[in-house]
């Protein structure tokens, strides 16, 4: 097992434990919980496989459980309110701990409930999808969706610990695994060219479920994210780079109806759009764009947006993006492979050209 740390100010630093068997180590989970009461929140898909592993580590505590409906379409204020209602009905106090057992949908909603319940209680992330293990469980971004925009209602609230058991990936459907790989590839593009090159070489092993390769990909992703979050916890600067492809991706998710495109799939198509924009601005070569496309394709990820979405469909969503400042769309754009910037000078003409170019690739 490997333990990384998210180094934050005050006493808020927390560990990320990664390995095969992490959830078999009762002491590890027990030590992440303060107080005598916990609420485990999951859904039926995940609970069937993993709830008992968590329950068994907490036999000396009062344990409540709540299973939420499964899916991005349920990442709503209404579902979130259900978590708060149960906490109140079961008399959870300020010393309670919430445990998020599931993918990014569960993690984001439970984190937001923990941020708000009695003005903030502790929570632990136990991510069970690849996407949640490499991205959403780390960094304290919590949220629910609004019909008008993805993750538009939320808070920064850091977990007390992140427990990543790579054994959970064995039951993950292939499409969900691929969606997680989009975020893994993102780290290579924005921050680590040699990791990107490693991914190009290790794609076959990762697809075959090679445990050593998977563990390395998760560790490297978490290490990059932990470093960026430690530097810029509330996204005043460098943390925005973690949103490569997301401005386009969130537009796809909202426009297509939450859950129809997986988040990672929308990010994959969005990253190609961002790379295409970077090529038009001559900060990435056609050859580098092609390498990104080929790597995404190795994992059967989409490299174009939906055929029905032209620039006029993207732009209203992009204007509501959380990075917009003084009405200007700000985009994360790669600078070659391994580096990126936040650009606020992309003209509408270039935005339209990139979206329309990618649309042509699709037809
Ligand atoms: P998800 O939570 O919907 O999980 C995907 C599916 O896999 C679900 O049906 C789930 O029940 C199932 N599942 C989970 N673990 C499983 C397992 N081990 N075996 C079998 N099935 C399993 O989706 P996701 O991709 O994990 O997360 C996407 C969400 O994360 C989006 O809402 C996105 O906005 C959010 N996100 C947040 C951050 C952040 O920093 N907070 C970062 C990236 C993404
Ligand atoms: N997933 C983007 C971030 O955590 O900042």
């Amino acid at each position: 097992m490997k333990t990384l740390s998210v180094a934050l100010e005050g006493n808020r630093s927390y560990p990320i434990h990664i390995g095969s068997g992490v959830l078999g180590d009762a002491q590890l989970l027990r030590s992440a919980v303060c107080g005598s009461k916990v609420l485990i929140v999951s859904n039926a898909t995940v609970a069937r496989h993993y709830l008992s592993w968590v329950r068994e580590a907490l036999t000396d505590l009062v344990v409540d459980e709540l299973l939420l409906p499964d899916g991005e379409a349920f990442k709503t204020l209404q579902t979130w309110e259900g978590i708060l209602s149960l906490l109140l009905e079961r008399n959870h106090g300020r010393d309670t701990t919430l445990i998020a057992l599931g993918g990014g949908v569960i993690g984001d909603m439970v984190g937001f409930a923990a941020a708000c319940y009695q003005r903030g209680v502790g929570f632990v992330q136990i991510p069970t999808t690849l996407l949640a293990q490499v991205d959403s469980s780390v960094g304290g971004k919590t949220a629910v969706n609004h019909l008008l925009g993805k993750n538009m209602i939320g808070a920064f609230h850091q977990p007390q610990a992140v427990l990543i058991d790579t054994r959970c990936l064995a039951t993950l459907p292939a499409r969900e695994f691929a969606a997680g790989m989009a975020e893994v590839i993102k780290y290579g593009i924005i921050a680590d060219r040699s990791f990107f090159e490693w991914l190009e070489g290790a794609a076959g092993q990762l697809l075959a479920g090679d445990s050593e390769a998977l563990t390395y990909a998760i560790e490297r992703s978490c290490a990059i994210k932990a470093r960026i979050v430690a530097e810029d916890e509330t996204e005043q600067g460098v943390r925005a780079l973690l949103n490569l492809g997301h401005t386009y991706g969130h537009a796809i998710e909202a426009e297509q109806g939450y859950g129809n495109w997986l988040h990672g799939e929308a990010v994959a198509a969005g990253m190609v759009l961002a790379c295409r924009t970077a090529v038009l601005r001559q900060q990435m070569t056609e050859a580098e764009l092609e390498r990104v496309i080929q790597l995404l394709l190795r994992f059967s990820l989409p490299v174009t947006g939906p055929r029905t979405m032209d620039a006029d469909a993207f732009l209203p969503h992009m204007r509501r993006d959380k990075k917009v400042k003084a009405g200007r769309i700000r985009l994360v754009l790669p600078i070659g492979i391994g580096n990126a910037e936040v650009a606020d000078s992309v003209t509408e003409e270039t935005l339209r050209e990139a979206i329309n170019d990618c649309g042509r690739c699709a037809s």
Side-chain angles (χ1 to χ4, degrees):
M1 187 187 74
K2 181 132 182 183
T3 300
L4 306 174
S5 174
V6 183
L8 299 175
E9 277 172 22
N11 60 356
R12 295 176 312 116
S13 297
Y14 58 90
I16 309 171
H17 303 293
I18 307 167
S20 172
V22 161
L23 289 178
D25 184 340
Q27 195 45 42
L28 216 52
L29 176 56
R30 187 61 191 81
S31 63
V33 171
C34 315
S36 57
K37 221 163 168 174
V38 300
L39 172 64
I40 307 171
V41 184
S42 190
N43 64 37
T45 316
V46 176
R48 183 170 73 239
H49 301 294
Y50 306 114
L51 182 58
S52 62
W53 293 7
V54 177
R55 208 188 269 141
E56 277 160 23
L58 303 171
T59 45
D60 59 325
L61 300 179
V62 178
V63 179
D64 282 320
E65 297 169 4
L66 176 62
L67 298 190
L68 301 178
D70 185 3
E72 185 75 39
F74 297 99
K75 190 179 162 183
T76 59
L77 274 175
Q78 195 187 358
T79 312
W80 169 83
E81 195 182 351
I83 305 174
L84 302 181
S85 299
L86 191 106
L87 287 165
L88 284 166
E89 283 158 19
R90 303 280 171 89
N91 294 315
H92 282 251
R94 269 192 149 164
D95 59 347
T96 192
T97 304
L98 273 58
I99 298 180
L101 174 68
V105 168
I106 293 286
D108 279 15
M109 274 197 294
V110 172
F112 187 38
C116 296
Y117 186 66
Q118 300 195 5
R119 300 199 182 89
V121 298
F123 82 113
V124 174
Q125 289 271 19
I126 304 184
T128 59
T129 62
L130 179 62
L131 185 139
Q133 295 187 344
V134 299
D135 193 352
S136 62
S137 64
V138 175
K141 275 190 182 176
T142 74
V144 295
N145 299 330
H146 187 281
L147 273 181
L148 288 179
K150 171 97 179 146
N151 293 337
M152 279 295 165
I153 304 161
F156 285 99
H157 187 58
Q158 300 290 344
Q160 292 169 178
V162 181
L163 274 65
I164 300 175
D165 194 326
T166 53
R167 290 177 302 173
C168 296
L169 299 180
T171 53
L172 196 64
R175 187 177 166 202
E176 298 291 350
F177 175 80
M181 279 309 303
E183 301 280 13
V184 174
I185 292 167
K186 172 189 79 179
Y187 292 113
I189 302 172
I190 61 167
D192 189 341
R193 188 179 176 93
S194 58
F195 183 47
F196 185 92
E197 284 165 356
W198 179 84
L199 288 168
E200 288 178 314
Q205 289 158 271
L206 291 165
L207 283 163
D210 180 272
S211 151
E212 210 175 303
L214 276 172
T215 304
Y216 177 71
I218 295 167
E219 279 173 16
R220 190 71 204 116
S221 300
C222 286
I224 294 170
K225 180 145 188 188
R227 173 174 58 74
I228 292 176
V229 169
E231 199 178 320
D232 178 22
E233 184 181 353
T234 56
E235 200 170 308
Q236 306 305 309
V238 67
R239 183 165 181 173
L241 300 183
L242 294 170
N243 293 320
L244 175 70
H246 286 57
T247 302
Y248 300 99
H250 286 170
I252 294 172
E253 287 184 83
E255 185 72 15
Q256 298 300 301
Y258 295 119
N260 289 319
W261 274 58
L262 300 183
H263 175 70
E265 293 171 343
V267 166
M271 290 196 295
V272 176
L273 281 158
C275 291
R276 169 63 63 197
T277 311
V279 170
L280 290 173
R281 284 163 56 93
Q282 300 183 328
Q283 56 188 72
M284 183 178 226
T285 63
E286 284 279 359
E288 286 169 324
L289 165 62
E290 191 53 30
R291 280 176 73 179
V292 171
I293 289 174
Q294 288 310 319
L295 187 53
L296 294 169
L297 287 174
R298 282 296 303 275
F299 293 96
S300 308
L301 283 161
V303 293
T304 59
R307 281 163 192 269
T308 48
M309 269 183 83
D310 60 9
D312 287 324
F314 272 94
L315 284 168
H317 294 284
M318 294 173 76
R319 291 194 184 100
R320 280 195 288 267
D321 183 70
K322 290 192 282 309
K323 286 183 293 305
V324 166
K325 259 195 192 155
R328 287 186 87 90
I329 293 176
R330 294 163 72 241
L331 277 180
V332 181
L333 297 181
I335 304 171
I337 290 174
N339 198 359
E341 63 163 2
V342 179
D344 63 3
S345 60
V346 185
T347 62
E348 182 163 331
E349 192 189 353
T350 305
L351 283 177
R352 286 182 177 277
E353 192 178 343
I355 293 167
N356 293 336
D357 273 3
C358 284
R360 272 199 295 279
C361 314
S363 52

